[in-house]
Amino acid sequence: MTRQRRSGFRVKRVYEEPEDSDGTRVLVDRLWPRGISKQQAHIDEWIRDVTPSNELRRWFHADPQHRQAEFRRKYLDELSAESPQRGLADLRELAGREAVTLVTAVRDPQHSHVSVLLELLNS
């Protein structure tokens, strides 16, 4: 399920086995994944500033199939604030030096905040 991105970012679910090729593993979820210890997750950094706010996350999860487009717009708006911009800059800088794996617990990263985050990181 690992996907290589042209920017040097990979995406993996936290439940997948860590690999040496992952490079720096960065958790990009607001909440710690259920049922996973810190030892099992092998997370190097946890950048909460680039995750959706609790309010936006709850709103989206109530009806993800019908709220994807509006979620994307609202999340991009949140990411335009100063603190998330610093987090994005840190991720880009890190990816310029080494492989970076964005780690998430979401079931379908392509239809979640992770795809929006990758789009922004790739731009």
Side-chain angles (χ1 to χ4, degrees), residues 11-73:
V11 174
K12 272 188 142 176
R13 293 193 70 225
V14 71
Y15 307 103
E16 294 179 67
E17 197 65 32
E19 300 175 70
D20 291 339
S21 62
D22 288 348
T24 299
R25 292 171 53 90
V26 180
L27 183 64
V28 292
D29 291 340
R30 182 151 304 260
L31 304 175
W32 188 264
R34 289 182 183 172
I36 297 289
S37 70
K38 291 183 180 183
Q39 292 79 16
Q40 290 171 311
H42 297 277
I43 298 298
D44 299 305
E45 293 190 42
W46 187 4
I47 303 181
R48 292 184 188 131
D49 289 341
V50 299
T51 65
S53 65
N54 285 326
E55 296 79 17
L56 182 58
R57 185 178 52 79
R58 288 183 191 121
W59 174 83
F60 178 62
H61 286 239
D63 190 8
Q65 289 185 342
H66 296 103
R67 294 182 173 174
Q68 183 71 32
E70 183 69 7
F71 169 78
R72 181 184 179 285
R73 187 190 65 71

XYZ file of all heavy atoms in Angstrom, residues 11-73:
546
model
N 3.390 7.813 1.534
C 2.284 7.708 2.487
C 2.171 6.255 2.894
O 2.201 5.363 2.050
C 0.951 8.185 1.862
C -0.205 7.938 2.828
C 1.032 9.655 1.492
N 2.039 6.030 4.190
C 1.842 4.681 4.716
C 0.827 4.740 5.838
O 0.799 5.709 6.599
C 3.141 4.130 5.309
C 4.030 3.429 4.361
C 5.161 2.785 5.106
C 5.504 1.461 4.507
N 6.665 0.864 5.146
N 0.063 3.698 5.938
C -0.798 3.566 7.104
C 0.072 3.107 8.274
O 1.026 2.345 8.105
C -1.912 2.558 6.846
C -2.887 3.077 5.778
C -4.155 2.280 5.706
N -4.948 2.509 6.898
C -5.548 1.533 7.593
N -5.439 0.274 7.226
N -6.252 1.827 8.671
N -0.248 3.569 9.436
C 0.539 3.257 10.623
C 0.539 1.760 10.921
O 1.450 1.248 11.558
C 0.047 4.090 11.837
C -1.309 3.611 12.314
C 1.066 4.100 12.958
N -0.455 1.047 10.410
C -0.580 -0.386 10.651
C 0.319 -1.210 9.728
O 0.457 -2.418 9.916
C -2.046 -0.805 10.497
C -2.951 0.049 11.352
C -3.713 1.061 10.784
C -2.990 -0.106 12.737
C -4.515 1.875 11.563
C -3.780 0.704 13.525
C -4.545 1.695 12.934
O -5.320 2.507 13.713
N 0.918 -0.560 8.726
C 1.868 -1.239 7.848
C 3.223 -1.327 8.544
O 3.589 -0.447 9.322
C 2.028 -0.481 6.530
C 0.785 -0.467 5.673
C 1.006 0.319 4.400
O 1.801 -0.125 3.554
O 0.385 1.387 4.273
N 3.961 -2.352 8.203
C 5.275 -2.570 8.806
C 6.253 -1.470 8.377
O 6.365 -1.167 7.198
C 5.803 -3.943 8.361
C 6.923 -4.484 9.197
C 6.510 -4.796 10.620
O 5.365 -5.176 10.872
O 7.384 -4.633 11.492
N 6.974 -0.869 9.324
C 8.002 0.113 8.955
C 9.113 -0.546 8.145
O 9.410 -1.727 8.331
C 8.548 0.595 10.303
C 7.539 0.190 11.309
C 6.852 -1.022 10.762
N 9.715 0.236 7.235
C 10.815 -0.257 6.413
C 11.970 0.723 6.497
O 11.766 1.914 6.757
C 10.376 -0.373 4.951
C 9.207 -1.312 4.730
C 8.737 -1.295 3.291
O 9.496 -1.815 2.444
O 7.649 -0.772 3.025
N 13.168 0.249 6.239
C 14.337 1.125 6.246
C 14.197 2.251 5.233
O 14.656 3.371 5.449
C 15.613 0.327 5.953
C 15.985 -0.618 7.084
O 15.526 -0.397 8.233
O 16.727 -1.575 6.826
N 13.542 1.967 4.115
C 13.393 2.966 3.056
C 12.397 4.076 3.403
O 12.274 5.041 2.652
C 12.967 2.286 1.750
O 11.706 1.660 1.913
N 11.707 3.961 4.532
C 10.736 4.992 4.938
C 11.399 6.323 5.223
O 10.766 7.364 5.130
C 9.963 4.560 6.192
C 8.960 3.460 5.927
O 8.678 3.166 4.738
O 8.454 2.886 6.910
N 12.652 6.305 5.600
C 13.299 7.549 6.005
C 12.674 8.055 7.292
O 12.355 7.278 8.183
N 12.453 9.348 7.375
C 11.820 9.930 8.556
C 10.323 9.687 8.485
O 9.676 10.021 7.498
C 12.109 11.441 8.637
O 13.519 11.631 8.732
C 11.446 12.064 9.848
N 9.781 9.096 9.528
C 8.347 8.791 9.594
C 7.649 9.884 10.397
O 7.954 10.085 11.566
C 8.132 7.420 10.219
C 8.646 6.290 9.328
C 8.628 4.946 10.027
N 7.358 4.580 10.612
C 6.395 3.909 9.979
N 6.560 3.535 8.726
N 5.263 3.617 10.597
N 6.704 10.562 9.725
C 6.020 11.709 10.327
C 4.533 11.393 10.428
O 3.866 11.175 9.417
C 6.226 12.986 9.486
C 5.510 14.164 10.120
C 7.711 13.280 9.309
N 4.017 11.384 11.648
C 2.582 11.176 11.850
C 1.849 12.451 11.470
O 2.184 13.544 11.947
C 2.299 10.805 13.306
C 0.836 10.497 13.637
C 0.355 9.256 12.878
C 0.665 10.296 15.137
N 0.843 12.323 10.593
C 0.085 13.484 10.139
C -1.397 13.351 10.504
O -2.272 13.790 9.769
C 0.277 13.745 8.625
C 1.702 14.197 8.336
C -0.091 12.527 7.797
N -1.662 12.759 11.652
C -3.011 12.685 12.224
C -3.040 13.502 13.499
O -2.033 13.575 14.213
C -3.388 11.244 12.545
C -3.586 10.375 11.316
O -3.800 10.938 10.216
O -3.535 9.147 11.457
N -4.179 14.086 13.810
C -4.303 14.889 15.025
C -4.278 14.002 16.275
O -3.733 14.380 17.304
C -5.580 15.725 15.000
C -5.685 16.599 16.234
C -6.434 17.870 16.042
N -5.960 18.731 15.001
C -5.204 19.804 15.177
N -4.778 20.121 16.378
N -4.860 20.555 14.164
N -4.886 12.823 16.182
C -4.962 11.913 17.328
C -3.997 10.747 17.140
O -3.758 10.305 16.012
C -6.390 11.367 17.474
C -7.494 12.404 17.605
C -8.855 11.724 17.605
C -7.306 13.244 18.850
N -3.482 10.237 18.261
C -2.617 9.066 18.185
C -3.457 7.872 17.742
O -4.571 7.677 18.227
C -1.960 8.775 19.538
C -0.930 7.699 19.398
C -1.097 6.367 19.634
C 0.397 7.861 18.911
N 0.068 5.684 19.330
C 0.994 6.582 18.889
C 1.154 8.954 18.493
C 2.306 6.370 18.473
C 2.454 8.741 18.083
C 3.018 7.461 18.075
N -2.945 7.032 16.842
C -3.703 5.880 16.335
C -4.037 4.877 17.439
O -3.190 4.545 18.265
C -2.757 5.251 15.319
C -1.755 6.300 14.998
C -1.647 7.172 16.199
N -5.261 4.423 17.412
C -5.720 3.451 18.420
C -5.007 2.115 18.243
O -4.788 1.656 17.127
C -7.213 3.206 18.274
C -8.038 4.367 18.699
C -9.488 4.036 18.586
N -10.269 5.210 18.940
C -11.554 5.300 18.791
N -12.229 4.293 18.274
N -12.185 6.388 19.145
N -4.670 1.513 19.359
C -4.125 0.168 19.350
C -2.679 0.060 18.893
O -2.191 -1.040 18.677
N -1.995 1.178 18.753
C -0.603 1.176 18.291
C 0.272 1.845 19.345
O 0.021 2.991 19.736
C -0.445 1.936 16.954
C -1.232 1.264 15.853
C 1.011 2.104 16.564
C -0.653 -0.052 15.387
N 1.279 1.140 19.789
C 2.205 1.735 20.748
C 3.219 2.598 20.013
O 3.395 2.477 18.793
C 2.936 0.644 21.531
O 3.851 -0.025 20.674
N 3.891 3.442 20.750
C 4.928 4.275 20.139
C 6.053 3.412 19.578
O 6.639 3.736 18.545
C 5.463 5.285 21.142
C 4.428 6.335 21.467
C 4.933 7.390 22.397
C 3.805 8.382 22.635
N 4.188 9.476 23.465
N 6.335 2.294 20.224
C 7.374 1.391 19.734
C 6.955 0.741 18.418
O 7.764 0.582 17.512
C 7.691 0.304 20.770
C 8.353 0.806 22.026
C 7.360 1.443 23.008
O 6.153 1.264 22.909
N 7.882 2.203 23.960
N 5.693 0.356 18.298
C 5.198 -0.276 17.078
C 5.146 0.711 15.908
O 5.403 0.345 14.772
C 3.792 -0.834 17.290
C 3.718 -2.032 18.187
C 2.272 -2.383 18.505
O 1.489 -1.530 18.890
N 1.940 -3.651 18.329
N 4.798 1.955 16.190
C 4.580 2.952 15.135
C 5.885 3.453 14.527
O 5.911 3.841 13.364
C 3.789 4.129 15.687
N 6.948 3.466 15.305
C 8.237 3.976 14.823
C 8.093 5.378 14.222
O 8.561 5.652 13.117
C 8.871 3.028 13.795
C 9.194 1.686 14.351
N 10.353 1.435 15.047
C 8.509 0.526 14.329
C 10.369 0.165 15.427
N 9.256 -0.399 15.005
N 7.440 6.269 14.962
C 7.221 7.642 14.506
C 8.404 8.495 14.956
O 8.778 8.494 16.124
C 5.903 8.212 15.084
C 4.704 7.397 14.590
C 5.743 9.690 14.763
C 4.501 7.396 13.095
N 8.984 9.234 14.004
C 10.103 10.122 14.315
C 9.621 11.521 14.694
O 10.229 12.178 15.530
C 11.053 10.223 13.115
C 11.638 8.871 12.756
O 12.229 8.230 13.646
O 11.488 8.456 11.593
N 8.549 11.965 14.048
C 7.993 13.288 14.331
C 6.481 13.216 14.235
O 5.937 12.401 13.494
C 8.513 14.333 13.328
C 9.990 14.599 13.451
C 10.416 15.811 12.626
O 9.695 16.819 12.641
O 11.456 15.708 11.971
N 5.829 14.118 14.967
C 4.372 14.214 14.937
C 4.056 15.682 14.729
O 4.199 16.489 15.649
C 3.800 13.686 16.231
C 2.310 13.573 16.287
C 1.413 13.818 15.288
C 1.546 13.154 17.415
N 0.133 13.579 15.725
C 0.186 13.170 17.033
C 1.867 12.778 18.712
C -0.836 12.820 17.906
C 0.849 12.434 19.570
C -0.494 12.448 19.178
N 3.642 16.048 13.531
C 3.397 17.452 13.208
C 1.894 17.692 13.180
O 1.233 17.583 12.145
C 4.071 17.846 11.871
C 5.568 17.551 11.943
C 3.815 19.320 11.566
C 6.340 17.919 10.704
N 1.335 18.011 14.326
C -0.109 18.228 14.445
C -0.567 19.501 13.755
O -1.739 19.630 13.402
C -0.508 18.284 15.914
C -0.366 16.969 16.617
C -0.876 17.078 18.042
N -0.568 15.877 18.774
C -0.006 15.861 19.962
N 0.303 16.992 20.560
N 0.233 14.730 20.562
N 0.343 20.457 13.571
C -0.041 21.739 12.964
C -0.531 21.596 11.531
O -1.190 22.493 11.023
C 1.136 22.720 12.989
C 1.450 23.224 14.375
O 0.568 23.119 15.262
O 2.566 23.722 14.581
N -0.210 20.498 10.859
C -0.648 20.328 9.472
C -1.860 19.401 9.370
O -2.241 18.998 8.273
C 0.495 19.817 8.558
C 1.653 20.812 8.534
C 0.956 18.432 8.962
N -2.479 19.093 10.487
C -3.656 18.228 10.491
C -4.918 19.079 10.595
O -4.874 20.208 11.081
C -3.604 17.238 11.673
O -3.685 17.959 12.907
C -2.332 16.406 11.638
N -6.043 18.550 10.148
C -7.295 19.306 10.274
C -7.642 19.550 11.746
O -7.335 18.729 12.606
C -8.341 18.394 9.630
C -7.583 17.399 8.832
C -6.244 17.268 9.477
N -8.289 20.673 12.002
C -8.740 20.974 13.358
C -9.719 19.890 13.820
O -10.323 19.182 12.994
C -9.429 22.334 13.400
O -10.617 22.297 12.616
N -9.892 19.770 15.126
C -10.840 18.792 15.647
C -12.236 19.032 15.086
O -12.949 18.086 14.747
C -10.871 18.830 17.175
C -9.657 18.169 17.779
O -9.127 17.207 17.237
N -9.209 18.690 18.906
N -12.637 20.293 15.010
C -13.971 20.620 14.514
C -14.135 20.170 13.056
O -15.138 19.562 12.691
C -14.236 22.122 14.631
C -14.246 22.641 16.051
C -12.841 22.856 16.636
O -11.840 22.925 15.866
O -12.735 22.934 17.871
N -13.140 20.487 12.222
C -13.218 20.117 10.811
C -13.167 18.604 10.646
O -13.911 18.024 9.844
C -12.088 20.782 10.018
C -12.076 20.511 8.519
C -13.390 20.947 7.866
C -10.891 21.218 7.869
N -12.332 17.960 11.412
C -12.209 16.498 11.349
C -13.538 15.837 11.696
O -14.009 14.953 10.982
C -11.103 16.055 12.311
C -10.762 14.597 12.273
C -9.615 14.278 13.220
N -9.824 14.767 14.564
C -10.599 14.162 15.466
N -11.230 13.049 15.158
N -10.729 14.666 16.676
N -14.176 16.280 12.784
C -15.464 15.700 13.191
C -16.550 15.968 12.147
O -17.358 15.083 11.844
C -15.882 16.264 14.541
C -15.054 15.727 15.674
C -15.541 16.254 17.015
N -14.598 15.935 18.048
C -13.983 16.829 18.806
N -14.248 18.110 18.683
N -13.128 16.449 19.723
N -16.579 17.191 11.610
C -17.565 17.554 10.601
C -17.425 16.655 9.378
O -18.408 16.120 8.867
C -17.389 19.036 10.218
C -18.248 19.482 9.095
C -19.552 19.875 9.159
C -17.861 19.572 7.713
N -20.004 20.212 7.898
C -18.980 20.031 6.995
C -16.673 19.315 7.021
C -18.957 20.234 5.622
C -16.647 19.515 5.657
C -17.788 19.972 4.970
N -16.195 16.476 8.906
C -15.950 15.656 7.721
C -16.327 14.205 7.969
O -16.973 13.563 7.136
C -14.489 15.768 7.303
C -14.122 14.917 6.126
C -14.711 15.120 4.892
C -13.173 13.911 6.243
C -14.368 14.337 3.792
C -12.826 13.128 5.153
C -13.427 13.342 3.926
N -15.974 13.659 9.106
C -16.219 12.241 9.395
C -17.700 11.924 9.526
O -18.089 10.767 9.395
C -15.458 11.807 10.643
C -13.997 11.658 10.398
N -13.316 10.487 10.583
C -13.079 12.540 9.935
C -12.043 10.643 10.257
N -11.882 11.884 9.867
N -18.533 12.932 9.748
C -19.971 12.701 9.847
C -20.572 12.307 8.492
O -21.571 11.581 8.449
C -20.668 13.944 10.384
N -19.956 12.741 7.385
C -20.477 12.428 6.051
C -19.382 12.613 4.996
O -19.471 13.491 4.137
C -21.672 13.322 5.734
C -22.421 12.893 4.481
O -22.109 11.814 3.933
O -23.302 13.647 4.037
N -18.345 11.792 5.030
C -17.189 12.010 4.145
C -17.506 11.917 2.654
O -16.896 12.620 1.855
C -16.183 10.946 4.566
C -16.958 9.922 5.314
C -18.146 10.629 5.890
N -18.443 11.088 2.272
C -18.733 10.926 0.847
C -19.319 12.191 0.234
O -19.075 12.488 -0.928
C -19.674 9.751 0.624
C -19.010 8.420 0.861
C -19.924 7.267 0.513
O -21.131 7.418 0.418
N -19.333 6.094 0.342
N -20.088 12.927 1.011
C -20.749 14.117 0.479
C -20.040 15.419 0.832
O -20.431 16.474 0.347
C -22.198 14.167 0.974
C -23.012 13.024 0.454
N -23.330 11.942 1.243
C -23.522 12.772 -0.772
C -24.025 11.077 0.529
N -24.161 11.555 -0.703
N -19.029 15.346 1.656
C -18.373 16.559 2.124
C -16.938 16.711 1.640
O -16.226 17.618 2.070
C -18.398 16.602 3.655
C -19.805 16.737 4.197
C -19.812 16.831 5.690
N -21.161 17.125 6.167
C -21.511 17.154 7.440
N -20.602 16.929 8.374
N -22.737 17.432 7.791
N -16.491 15.843 0.745
C -15.089 15.849 0.319
C -14.663 17.196 -0.261
O -13.629 17.742 0.117
C -14.842 14.726 -0.702
C -13.400 14.597 -1.147
C -12.486 14.040 -0.085
O -12.889 13.236 0.733
N -11.247 14.477 -0.084
N -15.425 17.745 -1.185
C -15.034 19.004 -1.840
C -15.004 20.162 -0.844
O -14.061 20.958 -0.832
C -15.977 19.323 -2.998
N -16.022 20.248 -0.011
C -16.069 21.325 0.982
C -14.984 21.136 2.040
O -14.380 22.100 2.503
C -17.451 21.381 1.636
C -17.633 22.502 2.618
C -17.652 23.889 1.982
O -17.653 24.002 0.744
O -17.658 24.870 2.741
N -14.729 19.879 2.409
C -13.651 19.598 3.348
C -12.322 20.084 2.788
O -11.544 20.731 3.486
C -13.561 18.102 3.651
C -12.317 17.714 4.393
C -12.205 17.947 5.752
C -11.235 17.143 3.734
C -11.045 17.617 6.444
C -10.077 16.811 4.410
C -9.986 17.049 5.770
N -12.054 19.783 1.527
C -10.801 20.197 0.888
C -10.638 21.710 0.982
O -9.583 22.207 1.344
C -10.793 19.741 -0.574
C -9.537 20.095 -1.317
C -9.636 19.690 -2.795
N -8.437 20.062 -3.500
C -8.135 21.314 -3.867
N -8.970 22.294 -3.600
N -7.013 21.565 -4.495
N -11.685 22.449 0.638
C -11.622 23.907 0.683
C -11.356 24.414 2.107
O -10.498 25.253 2.320
C -12.924 24.509 0.145
C -12.869 26.018 -0.004
C -14.220 26.638 -0.308
N -15.185 26.491 0.765
C -15.131 27.147 1.933
N -14.142 27.955 2.195
N -16.063 26.965 2.844
